[in-house]
Amino acid sequence: MSESAIITTNDVNLWYNGKRALDSVSMSIPKNKVTALIGPSGCGKSTLLRCFNRLNDLIDHVKITGEITLDDENIHALGTDVVMLRKKVGMVFQKPNPFPKSIYENVAYGPRVHGVKDKAELDKIVEQSLRHAAIWDEVKDRLNDSALGLSGGQQQRLCIARTLAVEPEVILMDEPCSALDPIATAKIENLIELLKQDYTVIIVTHNMQQAARVSDYTGFMYLGKLIECGKTVQIFEHPKEELTENYITGRFG
Amino acid sequence: MVKFMKKMHGVMNASGNTARVSFLKEQAIKTVFFFTALFAVIVVLFILLFLLRDGYVIFEKVGVLTLLSGATWAPTAVEPLYGIFPLIVGTLLVTLGAMVFAVPLSIGCAIYISELASPRVKQVLKPAVELLAGIPSVVYGFFGLIVLTSFIRVTFDLPTGETWLAASVLLGIMALPTIISVSEDAISSVPHEYKEGSLAIGATRWQTISLVLVPAALSGIAAAIILGVGRAIGETMAVLMVAGNAAIIPEPFWNILSPLRTLTATLGIEMGEVSVGGDHYRALFGVAVVLLIITLIINLTAVAILRHLKEGRKRGITRKSLVSAYTQESFVRFAKFPGFLIALVFLFIVAPLWLAVLLLLAGVIWYFGRDRLSQKYIQAVAFTFVVAAAVIVLAILVIILQDIILNGLPALSWEFLTQPPKDLGRAGGIFPAIIGTLYLVMGAIAIALPLGVGAAIYLVEYTREGRITRLIRTGVDLLNGTPSIVFGLFGFAFIVLYLKIGVSMLAGQITLALMVLPTVIRTTEEALKNIPQSLREGSLALGATRWQTISRVVLPPAVPGIVTGAILSIGRAAGETAPIMFTAVVFSSRFLPDSVFQPVMALPYHLFILATNVPGASTNKYGTALVLLLLVIGFYAVAIIVRNHFQKKSRG
């Protein structure tokens, strides 16, 4: 690939309880682009995504081999600070998961845990992040209301704002629209388009139209293997592998 | 329905009569279960009624205000004074002290169990906490009297260690299991998504726990603390044995080395010596009414919070909190302040000077250096405290058990277990007490089991959630929160005197039955709810009647759960002293009773008298305590084994 890579994986394998979930995955994620991971359920795309911020560490009995680098540094190297890694690699989950706190506190949470105390600065970060996540106008008059009172789509944009507030380099999105209606989905997709100016976005999606709409690069996974990966246009119009073509044309999955 | 019946008659003319009979039978069965379910509500009303019946005279005579605010409690003086203000203050102070001791320990321990402990450590800690809950209160009181008070007497160089401090520490220990298990449950059921969300932002584990998990579990933790408060306020025997029982307000009021007296202890001490029908007798019922009202309010609050949470959980994570997010946040911010003050007061009065200075220094360094410390150090310090809390809880259990076991073992002998007591219990054995206790609990469960199971069947199988079930559930909850001494008083006033049954085994069995009824109802309800709905539908679809479905399809697989609940109730009843103290027991009897209308000996009461009234029975005291402990723990162990056995079996 021509662009410089921010994340690379080299022969990554992963087992849950001895069951193989990732099978020698090697790929590189270009900087300031949107990369989509597609494939049928259980193909390992979410697992791969959760490798990038080491969220799989939370699960017992997981074994990983191979190398994953972020900015040319191995994220599994001894002495890697997982906390710092996760600050650099933010994540938006499948189901919106705002904390049971006020809207303001949800966004301020990240900066606070990373040591920002000054109220004026926090206010600034909160406003910027909410603006950036295209939700500011909808919530600016009720920042002290509970985040749980927002609609699903608003909650998800709030979660994106929460992620932006810690200024990550990479944003992982795990099927961010699967719990949302088409209008809310369109808003999130527009947002992703804007985000790639400043961030690298990796998005897992079930929805191939969505991948085609929002991503610059696409990786197709099947049974834990990365079958094919390249520019989205090329993957969708001239796939090299038969499996990819079958999946994209809807012959299975 | 009528149309349907007509159709039935048309189709099955020959069997029309049978259909009618079976319809009536179904109705009759339903009615019977309805009345068993209503029983709990009726009992609560009856208790209140009878306490008021005997107590209202004193309210009328002295005046509600004078009674509540009078500064002197001197019921036996030449000019008797019935001011229960010092008793109310005593109750509140003891409870406050117990919470200062128990809340930090419990929450630390709960955090450790839910977030830090490995599965193997959990397997040790959770039963340990259950064990702590299983120790009878009279055994706690005995341990407090022998070990804790002498420790306090020596440490603070006092004439006696029977103090507010001793009572608070002991009650704190007894409240630990309640607070730990309920708040552990609250923290564990915070949705996993919150934790992932926080960690994904780059928060440390401690930041995630302290800023997201604990705040999200706050209502559950609050309910846990309120339940712990209820437990502490309602406790009689343990507090009576170590508090010193002087009906005074400590001078100055934060002097935790002063003795004091609670509402419950007053009832426990004076009820046995009062002449029935006099002003003093009535005043004690007035005290009981006040006590009951306090505990009812506390328990209803806790139950309301927990119920709200449970319903919220069913609806998923987008529930709205009872209080707004903003109020919750401000509450957390302000709660830190009085907590800090209490800690400070506690530090300067209780702790030796060097410790106070050291802790204060640490606090100052922490306060000013916090911003310069990295989150990793903060996490390490916090986890040290959390682990320490768990270790302390475990250590408390070990200390109590080893004291009772090591000192009690030498007393155990064949003779001790099979002979009646001699020389006021200093020599001889405790055979009649063992048998008496077994008689009491068997009788109690024989009464409580049919009523409780019936009530549970009605609640689960015959009704939908509505006003009636809510009324019944509230009755059950209230009954569950009623202090055991109030049951004792009610048993005395209603069963012993009003029904003229006299102080007898039967009166004790009925009183204990009322006390364990809520446990039986709840565990049976759980067991029935665990039976999949599809089984019922399968049976009903084959044309079975409701009762046929319940008796042949629903009940059989629920039996292990019901049996577990019954055994747990037996264990609880076996350790209770307060309910039988005025209704069923005598201190000494050489022979076993030959009818249920005779009084019996019982282990907890025997231990209570030996510990408080018989000097020089050291070995036999410990022996009695050990036998009682083993008996109660034995029942719990059987219950747990039954539960685990059938859980494994049902998993296949």
Side-chain angles (χ1 to χ4, degrees):
Chain A
M1 279 169 215
S2 50
E3 277 88 358
S4 63
I6 185 163
I7 291 178
T8 62
T9 73
N10 190 6
D11 193 22
V12 170
N13 297 284
L14 184 144
W15 292 264
Y16 286 125
N17 271 326
K19 199 175 149 268
R20 195 168 197 153
L22 291 180
D23 191 344
S24 34
V25 174
S26 300
M27 74 184 298
S28 57
I29 309 284
K31 200 168 177 168
N32 285 11
K33 298 285 173 198
V34 178
T35 304
L37 294 172
I38 59 170
S41 303
C43 69
K45 49 195 192 308
S46 289
T47 307
L48 180 62
L49 196 72
R50 292 163 71 99
C51 282
F52 297 145
N53 65 349
R54 286 184 59 182
L55 214 56
N56 286 324
D57 290 14
L58 296 184
I59 303 163
D60 296 331
H61 314 296
V62 166
K63 193 185 148 209
I64 303 179
T65 65
E67 195 187 49
I68 302 173
T69 64
L70 170 72
D71 292 330
D72 296 324
E73 279 175 47
N74 184 349
I75 66 166
H76 285 107
L78 230 62
T80 302
D81 189 345
V82 189
V83 168
M84 287 317 292
L85 170 71
R86 289 177 186 153
K87 187 176 179 304
K88 279 197 236 168
V89 184
M91 183 161 188
V92 177
F93 295 82
Q94 187 169 358
K95 223 162 100 191
N97 61 346
F99 303 130
K101 298 170 181 279
S102 66
I103 294 168
Y104 181 92
E105 285 299 325
N106 260 283
V107 183
Y109 178 79
R112 269 195 219 279
V113 303
H114 294 298
V116 179
K117 285 246 163 93
D118 183 45
K119 175 81 174 130
E121 199 185 337
L122 277 175
D123 287 349
K124 210 179 90 195
I125 296 174
V126 169
E127 179 175 344
Q128 267 176 2
S129 309
L130 288 170
R131 277 187 192 284
H132 214 141
I135 190 182
W136 171 253
D137 291 332
E138 291 160 62
V139 299
K140 65 180 180 217
D141 299 324
R142 44 172 175 154
L143 290 176
N144 284 328
D145 287 4
S146 169
L148 302 182
L150 297 175
S151 74
Q154 289 173 325
Q155 287 191 2
Q156 194 62 300
R157 275 178 287 148
L158 177 67
C159 288
I160 293 174
R162 191 176 69 184
T163 309
L164 297 181
V166 294
E167 298 177 341
E169 295 172 22
V170 181
I171 301 174
L172 310 175
M173 295 190 171
D174 188 358
E175 300 189 33
C177 302
S178 67
L180 306 181
D181 63 55
I183 296 171
T185 301
K187 284 188 181 162
I188 304 267
E189 286 182 5
N190 289 338
L191 181 56
I192 294 172
E193 192 61 33
L194 294 173
L195 287 177
K196 74 176 176 191
Q197 293 165 7
D198 304 302
Y199 307 92
T200 305
V201 177
I202 309 175
I203 177 170
V204 161
T205 176
H206 250 108
N207 180 333
M208 276 171 292
Q209 285 75 33
Q210 183 171 62
R213 280 194 301 264
V214 302
S215 70
D216 306 304
Y217 291 85
T218 296
F220 169 62
M221 295 186 70
Y222 186 65
L223 297 179
K225 287 193 174 97
L226 181 69
I227 303 297
E228 189 173 354
C229 155
K231 288 214 158 141
T232 301
V233 185
Q234 177 236 314
I235 293 277
F236 277 85
E237 288 172 11
H238 308 287
K240 288 179 193 137
E241 304 286 330
E242 205 187 327
L243 261 174
T244 317
E245 185 168 353
N246 286 347
Y247 182 70
I248 285 169
T249 52
R251 253 168 259 169
F252 74 94
Chain B
M1 194 74 209
V2 176
K3 212 172 167 187
F4 176 63
M5 288 296 294
K6 268 184 193 157
K7 221 171 162 188
M8 291 257 295
H9 277 287
V11 175
M12 306 193 285
N13 241 339
S15 58
N17 256 342
T18 4
R20 174 128 202 97
V21 168
S22 93
F23 175 75
L24 285 177
K25 189 177 151 200
E26 287 290 314
Q27 283 303 311
I29 290 170
K30 184 177 172 178
T31 313
V32 169
F33 284 133
F34 174 68
F35 279 109
T36 56
L38 216 55
F39 188 74
V41 181
I42 295 171
V43 170
V44 175
L45 287 180
F46 247 64
I47 290 180
L48 205 59
L49 203 76
F50 259 83
L51 296 185
L52 278 175
R53 187 187 83 119
D54 279 332
Y56 90 98
V57 181
I58 199 76
F59 285 107
E60 212 172 50
K61 196 165 177 179
V62 184
V64 177
L65 213 68
T66 332
L67 192 81
L68 290 179
S69 64
T72 315
W73 173 259
T76 49
V78 184
E79 291 206 4
L81 286 169
Y82 303 105
I84 62 174
F85 187 63
L87 309 179
I88 296 177
V89 171
T91 298
L92 295 181
L93 288 181
V94 164
T95 308
L96 181 71
M99 290 305 122
V100 169
F101 174 79
V103 168
L105 268 186
S106 310
I107 295 179
C109 193
I111 290 175
Y112 181 75
I113 294 177
S114 58
E115 293 301 317
L116 300 184
S118 68
R120 205 179 289 170
V121 175
K122 247 188 224 179
Q123 270 175 8
V124 179
L125 261 179
K126 280 189 132 180
V129 172
E130 281 177 26
L131 201 58
L132 214 49
I135 298 176
S137 60
V138 68
V139 173
Y140 273 116
F142 172 67
F143 171 82
L145 186 62
I146 306 265
V147 181
L148 190 60
T149 55
S150 28
F151 175 76
I152 290 174
R153 181 173 50 81
V154 174
T155 313
F156 298 99
D157 195 20
L158 300 170
T160 164
E162 295 181 23
T163 53
W164 170 12
L165 178 62
S168 281
V169 171
L170 201 61
L171 282 184
I173 294 175
M174 296 173 73
L176 282 176
T178 312
I179 309 180
I180 293 175
S181 52
V182 179
S183 34
E184 193 256 322
D185 188 47
I187 298 173
S188 296
S189 38
V190 171
H192 197 66
E193 289 91 349
Y194 293 170
K195 193 170 160 183
E196 286 195 333
S198 170
L199 289 174
I201 285 174
T204 62
R205 282 170 82 194
W206 174 247
Q207 285 173 323
T208 303
I209 292 171
S210 62
L211 299 173
V212 175
L213 298 186
V214 169
L218 206 63
S219 338
I221 294 174
I225 294 172
I226 298 172
L227 285 177
V229 167
R231 173 97 175 87
I233 288 187
E235 175 53 39
T236 308
M237 303 316 290
V239 76
L240 182 161
M241 290 164 86
V242 300
N245 298 324
I248 52 167
I249 296 171
E251 190 69 44
F253 75 88
W254 60 79
N255 177 15
I256 62 168
L257 297 176
S258 150
L260 45 67
R261 180 194 269 209
T262 63
L263 294 165
T264 51
T266 307
L267 296 176
I269 295 165
E270 295 177 9
M271 197 62 206
E273 300 159 359
V274 74
S275 67
V276 174
D279 277 353
H280 185 188
Y281 177 81
R282 307 242 182 260
L284 288 181
F285 278 86
V287 169
V289 171
V290 173
L291 174 66
L292 188 63
I293 290 172
I294 295 177
T295 49
L296 289 191
I297 293 171
I298 288 172
N299 285 299
L300 279 181
T301 316
V303 166
I305 296 177
L306 285 176
R307 196 166 287 166
H308 178 87
L309 277 181
K310 221 177 183 178
E311 280 161 17
R313 239 176 250 161
K314 270 188 218 148
R315 272 184 252 124
I317 64 166
T318 49
R319 75 188 156 83
K320 270 212 156 177
S321 184
L322 199 60
V323 279
S324 81
Y326 184 69
T327 340
Q328 234 175 47
E329 275 149 28
S330 348
F331 173 76
V332 173
R333 226 167 286 145
F334 284 113
K336 282 178 185 160
F337 187 65
F340 186 65
L341 267 186
I342 289 175
L344 215 68
V345 169
F346 201 71
L347 213 63
F348 277 107
I349 296 158
V350 189
L353 196 65
W354 60 267
L355 189 67
V357 171
L358 207 71
L359 286 176
L360 207 67
L361 214 64
V364 169
I365 292 173
W366 177 256
Y367 191 78
F368 290 103
R370 190 164 49 171
D371 293 342
R372 261 162 257 159
L373 285 173
S374 86
Q375 283 300 330
K376 263 193 191 147
Y377 281 108
I378 294 179
Q379 168 159 303
V381 171
F383 281 1
T384 312
F385 277 110
V386 168
V387 173
V391 170
I392 291 173
V393 170
L394 206 57
I396 289 172
L397 177 69
V398 171
I399 290 172
I400 296 175
L401 288 186
Q402 67 96 25
D403 182 66
I404 306 278
I405 293 173
L406 288 186
N407 291 303
L409 272 181
L412 288 195
S413 65
W414 183 245
E415 195 214 342
F416 186 67
L417 294 176
T418 56
Q419 294 295 313
K422 284 177 207 143
D423 189 16
L424 288 177
R426 290 189 190 92
I430 52 169
F431 181 65
I434 297 176
I435 297 300
T437 288
L438 290 179
Y439 277 165
L440 283 172
V441 297
M442 291 308 158
I445 203 66
I447 298 166
L449 198 58
L451 286 172
V453 172
I457 289 178
Y458 182 76
L459 284 174
V460 178
E461 305 292 333
Y462 280 103
T463 51
R464 279 189 204 136
E465 297 299 312
R467 214 174 285 166
I468 292 178
T469 52
R470 223 175 300 147
L471 176 75
I472 293 170
R473 287 234 164 76
T474 308
V476 174
D477 288 333
L478 291 181
L479 207 55
N480 195 40
T482 303
S484 54
I485 188 80
V486 172
F487 281 106
L489 235 61
F490 171 72
F492 181 68
F494 180 65
I495 303 165
V496 173
L497 297 180
Y498 188 78
L499 297 181
K500 299 199 175 72
I501 292 180
V503 173
S504 62
M505 204 159 86
L506 183 63
Q509 288 166 336
I510 298 173
T511 312
L512 284 176
L514 297 182
M515 202 195 70
V516 298
L517 190 60
T519 316
V520 177
I521 295 178
R522 275 204 191 149
T523 46
T524 308
E525 260 194 282
E526 285 302 311
L528 293 176
K529 279 182 188 159
N530 280 337
I531 309 297
Q533 194 59 29
S534 57
L535 281 185
R536 294 185 184 89
E537 286 168 0
S539 166
L540 290 172
L542 291 172
T545 64
R546 182 134 268 189
W547 172 241
Q548 285 167 334
T549 304
I550 294 168
S551 61
R552 296 183 198 188
V553 176
V554 179
L555 276 182
V559 164
I562 298 172
V563 170
T564 309
I567 303 172
L568 284 177
S569 311
I570 291 176
R572 170 134 184 258
E576 279 291 344
T577 316
I580 54 174
M581 202 154 59
F582 317 120
T583 54
V585 289
V586 284
F587 170 56
S588 186
S589 105
R590 292 196 52 78
F591 306 102
L592 297 174
D594 18 70
S595 85
V596 290
F597 295 105
Q598 286 179 353
V600 287
M601 283 182 72
L603 280 173
Y605 187 67
H606 191 68
L607 174 59
F608 172 62
I609 298 293
L610 282 187
T612 53
N613 286 348
V614 184
S618 177
T619 341
N620 277 9
K621 277 184 219 175
Y622 268 108
T624 312
L626 181 59
V627 171
L628 177 58
L629 191 65
L630 290 179
L631 192 74
V632 173
I633 292 176
F635 281 126
Y636 282 132
V638 172
I640 290 169
I641 290 167
V642 169
R643 189 179 63 194
N644 291 350
H645 178 73
F646 283 96
Q647 257 172 11
K648 257 179 218 154
K649 224 174 155 186
S650 68
R651 263 188 237 125

